[in-house]
Amino acid sequence: MSTEDLVSVFEKIPTPFYYYNLDLLRETLTRAQEAAGKYSYHIHYALKANADKRVLEQVRKAGMGADCVSGNEVERAVAAGFHPSDVFFAGVGKTDHEIRLALEKGIGCFNVESFEELQVIEQLAREAEYVAPVAIRINPRVDAHTHRHITTGTEINKFGILEEDLQPVFALLEKSSWLDFKGIHIHIGSQITEMDVFRHMCERVNTLQDLFLRQGLEISLLDLGGGFGVDYNHPEEYPVPDFEMFFETIHENLNVHPGQHVHFELGRSLVAQMGDLITRILYVKKSGPRTFLVVDAGMTDLIRPALYETEHKIENLSWRKKREEKKEIKVDVVGPVCETADTFARNLDFPYSRRGDILAIRSAGAYGQMMSSHYNLRNAASVVYSDDIRIAKP
Ligand code: LLP
């Protein structure tokens, strides 16, 4: 479908809305599965990136498992048709209710974040008379070289267990028949683009494996988390991340022993590029030296720029349709929410724009809709799926 056709459709839909390109999603999932399959790696999709039901349907059809961080995510995954044994449950603050629910559902693995949590899982499993499959999340002290808010594997982060704190964990795993030890889990952060970081992570996993083996704990599962980043600056040139490079880097650096399963919990890299946030310009506001494009989407729809000061590429789709002579101006693209942080871009070189023009805020498929809020009592943005758009032939 041409951009012109698509913009004509978008013009008739109330904004703001998320547009999910399911063709691109299917292609991304296929490419990721092919690249992982080369080494018999398994992908568990991290629902936290986007738990939209139709997105999940595609993920399940692609043959992936599910990585969840709340009881509700576990329920959503099972309801979406993921086999419970393909559902893993991570997170530093699992409640008793969530642990019981996951035990009853028969999930594949708890990724345990502390000795304290392991004790509670053991007790609840004993009470419910279910054996709990567990992997131990290690905090490996590896800096992911990404934004500090999405760094999880260093000493100041709340996630995982430090190597020197593992002794009581080993003791409980050996003692209890209600815990079925599967292996180790690591997730060092998100939007990681330097392959050296993953090399370093693999080296740490290799050493940690030896540590567990010396304790007589046999590892059947290596869960290496997610974190592989996408190109926010060039979504059109790189719509599908280079999964071949990512998995090859892991393959070249990770020691895998016979019989071990290697898992990944990819979120962003599978869904970021298939989603755009579509918004309309409400006002072109001139204020002293600045020009503000006030749009009808705000930080309540996409909080990433406000929270992490990240930039999503913004395009004026109406301009692309009209093909006017391109006059560049410097603009700030801002939302309607009563917060200065409600800003999508500052000092952006942008084509001359008018009230009513349709803009696309790109690469918004991951951690967009999921992190939305009702602040200012704003409505939730709706979702439009590419599969539902039919262009009438003339
Ligand atoms: N596994 C665990 C244990 C995680 O905590 C996460 C993400 C993932 C897997 C998936 O990571 P991914 O492949 O998507 O990088 N809201 C932030 C990202 C937070 C990531 C939280 N954990 C953002 O918008 O950038």
Side-chain angles (χ1 to χ4, degrees):
M1 192 185 308
S2 71
T3 311
E4 287 79 0
D5 285 341
L6 204 51
V7 178
S8 304
V9 175
F10 286 174
E11 276 165 352
K12 297 187 191 85
I13 301 173
T15 45
F17 62 88
Y18 274 96
Y19 172 67
Y20 291 159
N21 181 344
L22 298 181
D23 287 326
L24 178 57
L25 174 62
R26 284 184 281 264
E27 190 191 332
T28 308
L29 295 169
T30 305
R31 298 263 292 273
Q33 283 292 58
E34 280 170 6
K38 214 171 143 190
Y39 310 107
S40 303
Y41 295 160
H42 300 272
I43 302 176
H44 279 208
Y45 169 64
L47 261 77
K48 65 176 82 64
N50 188 326
D52 177 272
K53 289 183 183 158
R54 288 180 65 178
V55 169
L56 291 185
E57 185 189 348
Q58 299 302 328
V59 174
R60 187 186 48 75
K61 280 188 182 158
M64 295 179 181
D67 167 56
C68 301
V69 285
S70 71
N72 288 349
E73 282 192 3
V74 169
E75 288 197 305
R76 171 75 61 97
V78 174
F82 290 88
H83 195 278
S85 61
D86 291 331
V87 175
F88 285 15
F89 184 18
V92 282
K94 302 179 188 77
T95 65
D96 293 12
H97 167 75
E98 289 176 316
I99 293 169
R100 283 197 198 95
L101 173 99
L103 284 168
E104 280 160 22
K105 296 267 180 215
I107 62 151
C109 199
F110 287 90
N111 288 341
V112 181
E113 303 256 4
S114 64
F115 172 60
E116 294 75 6
E117 181 195 329
L118 188 67
Q119 286 177 303
V120 172
I121 292 179
E122 201 269 344
Q123 187 197 329
L124 297 179
R126 181 188 296 271
E127 282 167 19
E129 298 192 0
Y130 287 108
V131 173
V134 293
I136 303 302
R137 179 167 181 180
I138 311 285
N139 181 328
R141 291 194 171 97
V142 174
D143 188 345
H145 295 178
T146 182
H147 191 280
R148 69 192 164 88
H149 286 178
I150 49 178
T151 293
T152 51
T154 70
E155 208 174 86
I156 58 162
N157 302 128
K158 65 182 175 180
F159 302 97
I161 305 175
L162 294 169
E163 195 176 323
E164 63 265 31
D165 297 331
L166 281 170
Q167 278 313 321
V169 172
F170 292 149
L172 184 54
L173 288 173
E174 274 160 34
K175 198 175 83 186
S176 176
S177 51
W178 296 102
L179 298 173
D180 176 15
F181 173 70
K182 296 283 181 198
I184 54 184
H185 172 229
I186 281 208
H187 171 80
I188 56 173
S190 198
Q191 184 52 17
I192 301 168
T193 49
E194 293 172 25
M195 287 304 111
D196 266 346
V197 169
F198 291 116
R199 279 188 200 106
H200 187 190
M201 179 185 82
C202 289
E203 283 162 18
R204 290 289 292 127
V205 174
N206 295 342
T207 329
L208 286 160
Q209 287 205 69
D210 293 340
L211 185 70
F212 276 76
L213 287 175
R214 280 203 299 276
Q215 296 292 323
L217 288 164
E218 210 163 298
I219 294 175
S220 59
L221 171 73
L222 295 174
D223 182 343
L224 302 192
F228 184 39
V230 303
D231 193 331
Y232 281 99
N233 299 322
H234 307 100
E236 238 143 72
E237 292 90 326
Y238 303 104
V240 180
D242 192 345
F243 294 108
E244 288 78 13
M245 175 185 70
F246 172 66
F247 288 118
E248 195 184 318
T249 304
I250 302 289
H251 176 70
E252 282 173 357
N253 293 279
L254 182 71
N255 295 343
V256 182
H257 302 288
Q260 286 184 332
H261 293 275
V262 182
H263 283 233
F264 294 86
E265 302 164 341
L266 299 181
R268 185 192 315 267
S269 51
L270 298 174
V271 294
Q273 302 293 34
M274 64 101 201
D276 292 337
L277 177 58
I278 307 296
T279 182
R280 254 189 191 81
I281 298 179
L282 294 173
Y283 302 103
V284 179
K285 171 175 172 173
K286 303 263 189 335
S287 179
R290 299 189 91 81
T291 301
F292 293 100
L293 301 184
V294 184
V295 299
D296 61 5
M299 63 191 284
T300 49
D301 306 299
L302 178 67
I303 200 174
R304 301 194 69 257
L307 197 56
Y308 313 119
E309 293 178 338
T310 49
E311 281 178 12
H312 287 244
K313 191 168 178 193
I314 304 177
E315 276 178 73
N316 184 327
L317 298 182
S318 304
W319 177 84
R320 274 178 66 162
K321 181 181 164 192
K322 285 183 278 201
R323 295 184 192 285
E324 285 178 46
E325 200 186 315
K326 189 172 173 179
K327 271 193 278 170
E328 292 246 318
I329 49 165
K330 279 235 185 285
V331 297
D332 287 9
V333 181
V334 299
V337 175
C338 299
E339 295 270 348
T340 302
D342 186 27
T343 297
F344 291 111
R346 290 185 178 85
N347 269 324
L348 183 69
D349 289 317
F350 209 64
Y352 181 78
S353 302
R354 298 191 176 84
R355 171 176 162 84
D357 281 359
I358 302 277
L359 309 189
I361 304 179
R362 308 292 312 271
S363 316
Y367 307 109
Q369 193 193 5
M370 290 303 286
M371 295 179 78
S372 62
S373 77
H374 292 295
Y375 184 41
N376 287 192
L377 287 186
R378 281 170 54 79
N379 294 328
S382 55
V383 182
V384 173
Y385 304 91
S386 56
D387 283 3
D388 298 344
I389 294 182
R390 302 271 171 275
I391 304 288
K393 294 270 175 295

